[in-house]
Amino acid sequence: MIEAINSYLEWGYGMYLIWSPPVHEMSLYLYGVLFFPILFFSSLFYIFAFSGLFSAPGPVARNALKSFPRVSIHIPTLNEIVAIRCARKCLRFSYPRDRYEIIIGDDSTKKSISRRIDAFASRHSGMVKVTRRPDRNGFKAGNLNHMLTHSGGEIIVNFDSDFMPPRDFLMKVIPPFMENRRMAFVQSKWKYMNIDQNLVSRFASSVLMVYQNLLAMINSRLGVPLLFGSGLAVRRSVLEKLGGWKEGSVTEDVDFSIKALKSGYSSMYITDLAVPGEVPFTLRGFFRQQKRWAYGNARTFMDHRKWILFGKNINLLQRISITMTLLGYMASPFLVMFMFFGTLSFMTGDPAAIDVGKFASTTGWTLLMNSGFMAATMVALFREKKLRMMLHVVIGAFSVGLYTAFGVTSGFFRALTGRKIYWYMIRKAGNESHPSLRPSAVS
């Protein structure tokens, strides 16, 4: 037995001596090649950070409403009792009560949740109604389209079930539609209710802060803002003209945004209206969310690439901005390969004493050149007055972020190869612990 083990170890060591040099050289070469795309994406984030540092959005000028268009508020839900909390917030809007309605699109498979939603709607009949489908075809987009057929509003407002809109939401989001008849959609900013729940929620919030405070602002200044999926308003006539929400898409909001821009409609991102919502607080939830967004954005780019790259009524800067927004997740595959080949190169190299000074210098310069995302995060946290979170974000980047990069890579390549991805439900803290959703507090 011992002789067999020794023979196996000798064989393994012999194979290591044979294969280690070429594997080391190949991995070191690929590591060096991959450094350049990593540096490219890092440089873009440095540009975002610089732009965000010296440009702050001002309040949106609005005229007082002289008339109040009919509004339909859509809250799609699947086994999420927290939808009641969202609807309750909508009931408190400072908008004429006879000029808006609330529709909960209940796709729930749990009858206990559906009964509680029905009980809530019956207590507020005339303001709240519930729609249901015989199946869940088309995911969230299919639910939204189904609700549209039961809606009487000329402006459609969408909230994910975990969002808690402020009382003046409609009074701030409706005026742009009245001032510009070509306005197709208006997107509000997000706030993060459970930002301090744990390390995952802090890092997830920071990722959204970078997008909403930097990249989304650049898109807005260039005239090509995109929807985020919740806290949004769209003109119904435009939505129906462009075919409704794209069923089967996991980012139907982005797809509609591109179609509206392609058709020459106006759009707006308003940063002085922030809507609180939840961010993922579990590693699995954040992994799945980012995988879905990476897939959906890349798929949207593939579906509309001819217009984005070569179409009319779009200039060069707008093309670059939209491309970066939809394909920004491309950085993750490069990061995964960069880490893999760097580790492989280190493991297969000849053992030698480490020159501490040279190692520290090389590592420092490498981190500096490839820390664009950290720089952008710092600026975003500064804009949100959350710089105290920076240490948590750095720790999250080297733990939660690296793990999630594998999910993003998977989603990105599934989009490029045309493989489908399915809608994943993310755990919501409000479904599990919010006191206002106890059975005795449904009204």
Side-chain angles (χ1 to χ4, degrees):
M1 180 68 177
I2 295 177
E3 290 181 0
I5 294 175
N6 286 334
S7 297
Y8 177 77
L9 292 175
E10 289 177 1
W11 174 82
Y13 183 67
M15 295 299 293
Y16 170 80
L17 293 177
I18 293 172
W19 289 105
S20 180
V23 169
H24 173 72
E25 291 179 6
M26 178 196 70
S27 58
L28 184 62
Y29 171 76
L30 292 175
Y31 176 78
V33 169
L34 289 167
F35 177 82
F36 293 99
I38 294 294
L39 180 61
F40 168 76
F41 283 106
S42 180
S43 299
L44 287 177
F45 278 105
Y46 272 121
I47 293 173
F48 298 156
F50 183 83
S51 173
L53 194 61
F54 294 100
S55 61
V60 177
R62 297 180 180 87
N63 295 321
L65 287 173
K66 297 179 180 179
S67 61
F68 299 89
R70 180 80 175 164
V71 178
S72 294
I73 298 166
H74 292 175
I75 307 173
T77 186
L78 171 64
N79 297 326
E80 295 179 297
I81 194 63
V82 77
I84 293 175
R85 183 183 66 185
C86 179
R88 186 184 295 119
K89 284 289 184 179
C90 294
L91 284 170
R92 299 170 184 169
F93 282 155
S94 56
Y95 197 80
R97 288 179 70 86
D98 63 339
R99 302 304 296 162
Y100 76 98
E101 63 180 350
I102 302 167
I103 302 176
I104 302 176
D106 184 25
D107 268 356
S108 297
T109 58
K110 297 181 179 179
K111 293 183 179 179
S112 60
I113 291 179
S114 292
R115 283 195 295 267
R116 292 180 67 184
I117 290 175
D118 287 340
F120 174 80
S122 67
R123 288 182 174 90
H124 301 281
S125 60
M127 284 297 296
V128 180
K129 61 182 177 181
V130 181
T131 61
R132 291 191 175 92
R133 305 185 288 162
D135 53 52
R136 291 183 52 238
N137 291 340
F139 306 132
K140 176 184 175 182
N143 196 358
L144 291 172
N145 283 334
H146 183 253
M147 280 188 277
L148 191 62
T149 64
H150 295 269
S151 302
E154 58 183 286
I155 304 296
I156 306 296
V157 171
N158 291 354
F159 293 115
D160 285 348
S161 61
D162 55 289
F163 275 65
M164 298 179 65
R167 191 169 183 271
D168 62 350
F169 182 87
L170 292 183
M171 297 300 290
K172 286 187 174 181
V173 82
I174 297 300
F177 292 99
M178 306 304 291
E179 296 163 12
N180 181 356
R181 303 306 299 177
R182 295 286 296 173
M183 185 66 64
F185 64 82
V186 176
Q187 174 66 59
S188 67
K189 192 179 177 183
W190 290 359
K191 291 169 65 176
Y192 322 100
M193 295 166 47
N194 60 325
I195 187 172
D196 291 321
Q197 186 169 355
N198 55 30
L199 182 64
V200 175
S201 66
R202 289 187 179 98
F203 185 71
S205 299
S206 73
V207 171
L208 288 172
M209 287 180 193
V210 170
Y211 177 71
Q212 297 201 14
N213 286 280
L214 304 181
L215 187 52
M217 284 302 305
I218 292 174
N219 287 342
S220 181
R221 286 197 295 271
L222 292 175
V224 286
L226 303 178
L227 291 173
F228 301 163
S230 181
L232 62 89
V234 301
R235 192 182 297 276
R236 179 177 184 162
S237 60
V238 176
L239 178 61
E240 291 178 333
K241 182 178 180 179
L242 297 180
W245 305 105
K246 184 178 179 181
E247 299 193 11
S249 172
V250 294
T251 50
E252 72 292 328
D253 51 325
V254 180
D255 178 81
F256 172 74
S257 304
I258 297 297
K259 288 191 291 188
L261 294 172
K262 187 192 302 187
S263 299
Y265 289 102
S266 301
S267 56
M268 182 179 289
Y269 172 42
I270 49 178
T271 57
D272 64 346
L273 173 60
V275 185
E278 294 186 27
V279 294
F281 64 94
T282 66
L283 194 58
R284 184 184 186 190
F286 185 58
F287 181 94
R288 286 183 161 188
Q289 180 200 66
Q290 293 299 302
K291 178 179 178 179
R292 172 164 56 85
W293 286 358
Y295 174 91
N297 284 357
R299 193 65 251 167
T300 299
F301 178 85
M302 296 295 291
D303 292 342
H304 300 281
R305 62 187 182 276
K306 289 184 179 180
W307 176 76
I308 294 171
L309 297 177
F310 310 109
K312 298 179 180 179
N313 69 358
I314 178 173
N315 61 45
L316 178 60
L317 288 178
Q318 291 172 329
R319 295 183 203 278
I320 294 173
S321 187
I322 291 177
T323 300
M324 182 57 196
T325 301
L326 299 184
L327 296 184
Y329 281 110
M330 187 189 298
S332 287
F334 286 109
L335 178 62
V336 168
M337 292 186 289
F338 185 70
M339 292 188 299
F340 173 78
F341 288 115
T343 303
L344 185 62
S345 172
F346 178 79
M347 297 296 293
T348 56
D350 292 331
I354 297 177
D355 185 332
V356 177
K358 183 178 179 181
F359 176 80
S361 175
T362 302
T363 302
W365 275 108
T366 301
L367 287 175
L368 179 64
M369 288 187 290
N370 292 287
S371 294
F373 178 76
M374 285 293 104
T377 302
M378 185 175 293
V379 173
L381 290 174
F382 173 76
R383 294 276 290 271
E384 294 276 354
K385 297 180 174 58
K386 297 286 187 181
L387 273 176
R388 59 178 174 78
M389 285 176 44
M390 193 63 204
L391 178 60
H392 295 95
V393 172
V394 172
I395 296 172
F398 287 98
S399 53
V400 177
L402 291 181
Y403 172 73
T404 305
F406 289 92
V408 169
T409 299
S410 172
F412 186 80
F413 280 116
R414 287 181 76 92
L416 294 186
T417 56
R419 298 165 62 193
K420 290 186 177 181
I421 196 172
Y422 295 97
W423 187 274
Y424 297 120
M425 289 301 302
I426 308 299
R427 280 178 63 190
K428 307 286 176 60
N431 288 323
E432 302 171 13
S433 61
H434 200 278
S436 68
L437 296 178
R438 293 169 183 161
S440 61
V442 172
S443 61

